[in-house]
Amino acid sequence: MSDNALPKGYEPRDVESRWRAHWEGNKTFTPDLDAPGEPFSIVIPPPNVTGALHMGHALNLTIQDILCRHARQKGRKVLWVPGTDHAGIATQNVVERGLAKEGKGRHDLGREKFIERVWEWREEYGTRILNQIRAMGASVDWTRERFTMDEGLSRAVRQVFVKLYDDGLIYKGDYIINWCNRCHTALADDEVDHLPRKDHLWQLRYPLADGSGELVIATTRPETMFGDTAVCVHPEDERYTAFIGKMVKLPLTDREIPVIADNYVDREFGTGALKVTPSHDHNDWELGHRHKLEFLQVIDENGVMNEHAGIYAGLTKEECRKRVVADLAAQGVLVKEEELDHSVGHCYRCKSVIEPHVSTQWFVAASKMAPRARAAVPAATQIFPDNWEKTYYNWLDNIRDWCISRQIWWGHRIPAWTCGDCGKLIVAVDAPERCACGSANLTQDEDVLDTWFSSALWPFSTMGWPDDTRELKTFYPTSVLVTGFDILFFWVARMMMMGLHFMDEVPFRHVYIHALVRDAEGRKMSKSTGNVIDPLEMIDKYGTDSLRFTLAAFAAMGRDIKLSEERIEGYRHFVNKLWNAARFALMNLPDDEVPAPVDLDTVQGLHHRWILHRLEEMKESTDAAIVGYRFNDAAQGMYRFIWNEFCDWYLELIKPDMQAGGERKAAAQHVLLTVLRETLTLLHPIMPFITSEIWAALPGNAGTDLAVQPFPAARPGCVRAEDAARMELVQGVIGAVRTIRAELNIAPSLRLTALVRTANEHDRQVLEENRQMLLVLARLENAEFGPAIEAPKASASNVVSGNEVIVPLTGAVDFEAELARLDKELGKIEKDLVQVNKKLANESFVDKAPAEVVAKERARAGELADAKAKLEALQQRFREAIS
RNA sequence: GGGCGGUUAGCUCAGCUGGUAGAGCGUCGGCCUUACAAGCCGAAUGCCGGGGGUUCGAUCCCCUCACCGCCCA
């Protein structure tokens, strides 16, 4: 036995920190650009600097790491770029909250000081998320870490802005946009969450100006009525045709507004008549332009009513609504108030209600860039699973121009200057010194760009664009983007547009959309619900490998993951199992030198031949599963192989070999080491730490790193399906004896005798050759095999592929139990037999089903009938014995 | 309103191109068997959401209904 055995328990903490330090210190994951091998690259979805690692990140990183480590094993040149995102609004909010504690606002500091403050903040906390990426074991290239506000990336942003402006794809103008009063900035359409909300629908009486009647309109926003500049009905709505073209009096004001007609109106909703407020509603904005209405703004950018609201000026929009409704009710204008379930836009950063607001903003003409991005899927970029294609198309087909200016300070400032003298607008990469008119009186636009604008460039900006770098040449387009569906629009579609425009090539060949991680009840994890499972806490308690394996095992394509701590705890048992298997192996292997090799193609011993065969199958299936993004198959396949085959059978079967010594031991050592080495390699992408640790402890591996070992080569000579079948027979006989023992309550310590009346010479020979396996694993003192074996009358029995397994019973045995057991067994067989016979009796089945299927059923019917007959005979004999 | 997905063992979920329903966890029974009690051996459990259709044959394909979830308007 070895004296440098592994410690009794696996201690993830020490092991993980050691390997992390080793990999980072040695720059193990920095690719050699001159190395041979096909490139494989991934850019990390950059987490927010404000962020802390959550389960979504943990899953995202695990998947990417599996892909990268696997690609390295397959000899590819792998680059995985890490980095973080400056997250404009979110980060600014965090720093502003900090300031608020000091009783200050950002305006008290001024722009420059405030930005300095944000940078300080990011220096302090920006590394936190990076260390959490480290904790996950992510094999990123730390020498290429990027931040969206880096000098290089900022230059890329300015360059892109200027180019798009020159190409006519960026423009500035007054439009209605989504305004967050709290964050005090414009938001893009997809940054608005539509959340369900109980509200009211009020019906209001608008009298005709000529006194000839009245029109009842329905609205959810009475406070905006001061901005009404029309009432709209459906042109074919007979209730209202007479009103079209007339004027109505706007209550609470002295204004009169026209009644217009437009197909946009839903006749079924409310009263079929609606008030039109072009400055405060997206649809009304469209109506306003179509019908050339007046645009009247009544709510300011703080959510306060302005002078157009008359006596309501100065009230917040919420207060104003209450007062207006009360006053309308008092004046008899309010006809009806009803409950309404609808959805209302909320800021995705702060969850306050979004106000449609007209202002001067910058836009990307996304509608012009979308068609190319659409056409690239699936021709140049494939989405996995492909049902997301539809969602992708749907969004691009309905895309509106993208509002990219934000009225905050933290971010890439828009590279546009206005001349104070001639009014000319200058858009340039670097700050211009003077205007063409000669004036030096230039002021830069106050706004910054949407964070997603810089994220959209990530796949090429991180590789050094606009310079023509080797990284770009080698690694662009990236191989795959791994992300959640929640940012398919924000990010994926925009990267496609930008990549195609600037690189003339898609940014990634594949997009793998992974699941959302939910809690055990299927709810989204959120701090407010309090159902968050913190990955760092899980890592601390169970180790990173347990967490990674759990996530991989549940990462079935296209399905959400319901996670609970118990699952992670459960997979820690697997980690422990592997550790102990390795300990056992090491105890039975020489300390330093590699055991003398034997020829694996011709090695004797069914257990060796079988496990080597299974190992070949595992290589193929694991590789196929990872390449096909079926991580759950990869994980579960390894789990079963290691636990149910390698540990439960193989390790048990080599124990006698190890005791026997000599050549038998030498062969067992060599096969054991081979299987363990290659199994660790296969498992390494999912569980990098424990596999590396065990690897380094194996004889001959001291000082080597599993992370740089190649994928185990195929060993065609070891593919032997017939040995797998032989093994199955042996396992079946062992199982039959074990079942008898357990069901008849025979003590495990009692050594039994087993007799097998064999079905044919082949089976007899297999059992004979593997007598020792049966003796050890079925706990027998004796075993006999042959075609003419007669069962002693008092014996329990079972049938395995036509072989009658007989266990003579001695001493006190529960005879009734054996009878009941045989009845149960026969019941099962009969049930199957009836079903199969029914099938075979069906003429059209025999007629129309493929010949091989029919043949298979016939064979099965024969087997079942045979087993039935044998069992019945055995049962009869047993009855005679006990009567 | 439009789109997507789900419904399989007590729980969580696999089940690729239709051909004998699987796993993990949990449950029950028996074991300290020299790597592992975080373990070993054995067992039980399913109108594969309802209805209809295609087919010799449907968990799988088509239609429909119900319930649940998500996205977009």
Side-chain angles (χ1 to χ4, degrees):
Chain A
M1 287 225 180
S2 157
D3 25 69
N4 62 347
L6 292 170
K8 183 134 170 84
Y10 175 58
E11 289 296 337
R13 232 168 298 195
D14 307 344
V15 172
E16 289 173 16
S17 62
R18 216 165 353 93
W19 283 104
R20 275 200 304 268
H22 178 263
W23 288 326
E24 195 165 341
N26 286 293
K27 297 189 169 61
T28 307
F29 305 125
T30 298
D32 174 3
L33 295 184
D34 297 312
E38 204 190 327
F40 179 90
S41 56
I42 293 185
V43 288
I44 204 167
N48 295 350
V49 269
T50 55
L53 191 81
H54 57 63
M55 271 305 165
H57 293 127
L59 173 65
N60 181 257
L61 292 166
T62 298
I63 291 173
Q64 292 175 77
D65 198 46
I66 291 171
L67 292 170
C68 286
R69 287 182 188 267
H70 177 258
R72 257 178 231 115
Q73 292 181 329
K74 300 288 281 189
R76 297 181 68 172
K77 185 156 52 175
V78 174
L79 173 61
W80 183 9
V81 181
T84 47
D85 186 292
H86 67 281
I89 299 172
T91 308
Q92 174 153 332
N93 283 353
V94 171
V95 175
E96 277 187 294
R97 271 202 292 279
L99 278 179
K101 281 186 194 141
E102 301 167 25
K104 284 189 238 167
R106 66 172 150 129
H107 293 277
D108 297 324
L109 267 72
R111 186 163 189 148
E112 217 166 294
K113 279 268 181 294
F114 179 76
I115 294 295
E116 267 175 39
R117 186 79 180 238
V118 184
W119 274 109
E120 281 168 22
W121 185 91
R122 120 115 197 159
E123 291 311 319
E124 201 175 335
Y125 295 100
T127 51
R128 185 178 60 167
I129 187 80
L130 295 170
N131 286 332
Q132 293 171 345
I133 293 173
R134 286 181 169 89
M136 284 302 298
S139 61
V140 300
D141 178 4
W142 288 109
T143 69
R144 286 186 169 84
E145 181 211 326
R146 306 312 295 262
F147 177 53
T148 46
M149 293 272 282
D150 277 352
E151 179 42 41
L153 271 64
S154 299
R155 189 163 63 102
V157 165
R158 294 196 300 273
Q159 184 100 11
V160 162
F161 187 95
V162 172
K163 178 76 167 51
L164 288 177
Y165 181 79
D166 291 344
D167 292 346
L169 292 169
I170 278 185
Y171 62 93
K172 185 185 185 183
D174 289 351
Y175 292 90
I176 191 159
I177 44 84
N178 308 294
W179 182 265
C180 176
N181 291 314
R182 213 227 47 89
C183 298
H184 212 85
T185 181
L187 294 173
D189 293 337
D190 56 358
E191 289 176 311
V192 177
D193 285 337
H194 295 270
L195 305 176
R197 193 168 123 131
K198 283 224 183 298
D199 238 318
H200 295 277
L201 186 68
W202 289 277
Q203 294 190 3
L204 307 177
R205 225 185 284 280
Y206 280 24
L208 283 172
D210 61 11
S212 63
E214 62 179 24
L215 198 59
V216 177
I217 60 98
T219 181
T220 57
R221 301 205 57 195
E223 72 280 8
T224 63
M225 64 183 289
F226 307 104
D228 288 2
T229 53
V231 165
C232 191
V233 297
H234 196 278
E236 283 149 32
D237 191 335
E238 286 161 12
R239 292 173 294 178
Y240 301 119
T241 37
F243 295 81
I244 298 167
K246 293 192 173 176
M247 301 296 281
V248 293
K249 281 188 183 163
L250 190 60
L252 304 179
T253 71
D254 50 8
R255 285 169 44 220
E256 290 182 3
I257 56 176
V259 178
I260 61 169
D262 196 287
N263 289 327
Y264 158 74
V265 177
D266 175 1
R267 278 174 279 184
E268 307 298 316
F269 186 79
T271 61
L274 53 87
K275 66 193 216 41
V276 183
T277 322
S279 295
H280 293 286
D281 182 279
H282 286 102
N283 294 311
D284 293 6
W285 164 267
E286 306 278 335
L287 278 177
H289 280 282
R290 255 201 311 279
H291 296 272
K292 305 221 169 3
L293 301 175
E294 193 186 340
F295 287 72
L296 202 55
Q297 198 151 323
V298 296
I299 303 173
D300 73 11
E301 56 189 40
N302 297 313
V304 174
M305 305 307 295
N306 70 12
E307 70 278 9
H308 295 295
I311 59 165
Y312 303 94
L315 297 178
T316 65
K317 56 185 185 176
E318 293 83 8
E319 288 167 39
C320 179
R321 176 182 297 185
K322 279 186 208 152
R323 295 271 288 273
V324 165
V325 170
D327 291 350
L328 289 173
Q331 293 183 19
V333 173
L334 181 63
V335 179
K336 197 170 159 190
E337 176 179 321
E338 52 190 10
E339 297 268 304
L340 178 75
D341 289 310
H342 69 153
S343 64
V344 175
H346 289 72
C347 172
Y348 82 136
R349 286 295 180 215
C350 75
K351 301 297 166 203
S352 52
V353 173
I354 288 297
E355 185 64 39
H357 184 77
V358 178
S359 58
T360 308
Q361 304 287 347
W362 290 87
F363 295 85
V364 167
S367 46
K368 289 185 188 154
M369 299 174 76
R372 207 175 159 196
R374 189 195 199 284
V377 173
T381 298
Q382 269 179 283
I383 302 181
F384 297 86
D386 61 9
N387 49 315
W388 287 104
E389 279 179 10
K390 264 195 181 170
T391 310
Y392 174 81
Y393 294 148
N394 190 49
W395 190 72
L396 286 175
D397 291 342
N398 297 301
I399 199 167
R400 289 200 291 180
D401 285 355
W402 172 21
C403 176
I404 50 168
S405 40
R406 296 290 176 274
Q407 288 67 48
I408 56 173
W409 288 346
W410 175 240
H412 301 281
R413 196 154 169 187
I414 290 178
W417 289 261
T418 309
C419 175
D421 292 315
C422 73
K424 187 179 157 61
L425 181 68
I426 304 163
V427 172
V429 172
D430 299 306
E433 282 177 20
R434 354 194 120 256
C435 176
C437 75
S439 166
N441 181 15
L442 297 173
T443 37
Q444 187 171 5
D445 197 296
E446 293 291 330
D447 291 351
V448 301
L449 288 163
D450 181 0
T451 306
W452 296 104
F453 188 88
S454 53
S455 316
L457 320 180
W458 188 251
F460 52 90
S461 65
T462 52
M463 293 190 193
W465 189 91
D467 295 336
D468 190 17
T469 62
R470 281 198 70 191
E471 282 86 349
L472 280 171
K473 279 200 199 98
T474 311
F475 293 111
Y476 190 96
T478 62
S479 309
V480 55
L481 178 80
V482 177
T483 187
F485 62 83
D486 47 333
I487 51 175
L488 188 62
F489 309 141
F490 288 126
W491 196 43
V492 180
R494 286 169 181 163
M495 282 191 285
M496 288 289 282
M497 293 193 270
M498 292 297 194
L500 284 164
H501 193 79
F502 288 94
M503 299 298 297
D504 204 29
E505 176 66 278
V506 292
F508 18 75
R509 293 286 174 221
H510 288 175
V511 175
Y512 177 71
I513 304 277
H514 65 242
L516 215 60
V517 184
R518 300 172 176 280
D519 74 1
E521 272 85 57
R523 294 170 306 180
K524 211 165 169 169
M525 287 188 192
S526 75
K527 276 184 200 147
S528 49
T529 324
N531 60 348
V532 172
I533 301 177
D534 179 4
L536 296 163
E537 197 188 317
M538 296 302 108
I539 286 172
D540 199 46
K541 284 171 86 167
Y542 306 111
T544 304
D545 289 327
S546 301
L547 174 64
R548 289 173 57 121
F549 195 87
T550 307
L551 291 170
F554 283 99
M557 227 195 277
R559 234 196 214 244
D560 283 350
I561 297 178
K562 286 190 203 167
L563 191 73
S564 65
E565 184 168 343
E566 290 75 56
R567 296 185 192 294
I568 301 165
E569 198 185 347
Y571 279 111
R572 184 184 50 165
H573 297 179
F574 176 60
V575 172
N576 185 250
K577 186 74 180 175
L578 177 64
W579 185 253
N580 279 297
R583 281 182 61 223
F584 171 79
L586 284 168
M587 288 174 191
N588 287 286
L589 288 169
D591 278 358
D592 304 312
E593 82 274 21
V594 183
V598 298
D599 183 356
L600 296 174
D601 288 358
T602 59
V603 69
Q604 290 308 300
L606 181 59
H607 54 319
H608 298 319
R609 297 173 67 84
W610 163 73
I611 199 74
L612 287 165
H613 168 79
R614 286 288 302 125
L615 180 64
E616 289 311 298
E617 291 185 329
M618 287 311 298
K619 289 178 194 171
E620 222 178 291
S621 62
T622 304
D623 185 39
I626 292 176
V627 169
Y629 303 111
R630 289 179 287 110
F631 304 104
N632 57 326
D633 286 351
Q636 278 162 10
M638 288 307 297
Y639 184 100
R640 269 143 91 160
F641 175 69
I642 291 172
W643 200 312
N644 303 122
E645 299 185 295
F646 183 66
C647 291
D648 288 351
W649 291 95
Y650 186 69
L651 293 188
E652 293 304 324
L653 291 171
I654 56 171
K655 283 178 182 173
D657 295 338
M658 295 302 180
Q659 273 160 12
E663 273 181 36
R664 229 177 110 188
K665 179 174 181 178
Q669 285 183 323
H670 181 68
V671 177
L672 170 64
L673 183 59
T674 303
V675 174
L676 186 55
R677 283 172 62 104
E678 300 195 347
T679 300
L680 288 170
T681 314
L682 292 178
L683 188 57
H684 178 260
I686 305 179
M687 303 214 285
F689 294 111
I690 189 174
T691 51
S692 297
E693 184 72 5
I694 296 171
W695 172 273
L698 295 180
N701 283 359
T704 65
D705 182 358
L706 178 54
V708 296
Q709 300 302 316
F711 194 85
R715 209 175 274 117
C718 287
V719 178
R720 293 173 286 236
E722 65 289 355
D723 284 329
R726 290 190 180 103
M727 186 67 189
E728 209 175 305
L729 173 65
V730 174
Q731 288 176 319
V733 172
I734 292 170
V737 176
R738 282 172 170 176
T739 301
I740 288 168
R741 185 192 289 278
E743 299 227 327
L744 299 188
N745 279 313
I746 300 168
S749 50
L750 187 67
R751 299 273 162 179
L752 300 172
T753 293
L755 311 172
V756 182
R757 183 173 183 173
T758 48
N760 53 52
E761 174 54 19
H762 170 270
D763 285 6
R764 192 201 62 77
Q765 209 174 324
V766 171
L767 294 174
E768 191 59 57
E769 282 167 3
N770 296 288
R771 169 182 299 271
Q772 174 136 35
M773 284 194 201
L774 287 152
L775 295 183
V776 173
L777 293 192
R779 311 204 112 228
L780 301 174
E781 59 178 5
N782 189 25
E784 284 177 45
F785 320 107
I789 291 226
E790 284 296 320
K793 288 198 167 176
S795 53
S797 52
N798 221 331
V799 176
V800 177
S801 322
N803 298 281
E804 294 168 61
V805 180
I806 297 147
V807 178
L809 301 175
T810 49
V813 186
D814 188 346
F815 294 122
E816 290 305 315
E818 172 61 5
L819 279 179
R821 202 185 62 75
L822 289 171
D823 278 339
K824 197 180 69 182
E825 203 67 34
L826 276 166
K828 270 195 273 188
I829 292 176
E830 273 160 23
K831 202 178 139 204
D832 286 353
L833 190 57
V834 167
Q835 214 184 329
V836 177
N837 281 335
K838 211 168 120 192
K839 229 176 185 181
L840 288 168
N842 182 350
E843 278 178 38
S844 42
F845 170 74
V846 180
D847 238 28
K848 296 183 181 172
E852 77 236 35
V853 174
V854 178
K856 219 169 124 191
E857 291 296 321
R858 286 221 168 97
R860 190 168 137 75
E863 272 166 40
L864 286 168
D866 176 61
K868 188 183 164 210
K870 283 176 175 160
L871 267 187
E872 276 169 352
L874 288 162
Q875 192 185 33
Q876 184 52 37
R877 221 181 154 71
F878 186 66
R879 275 216 180 85
E880 285 163 16
I882 63 174
S883 59

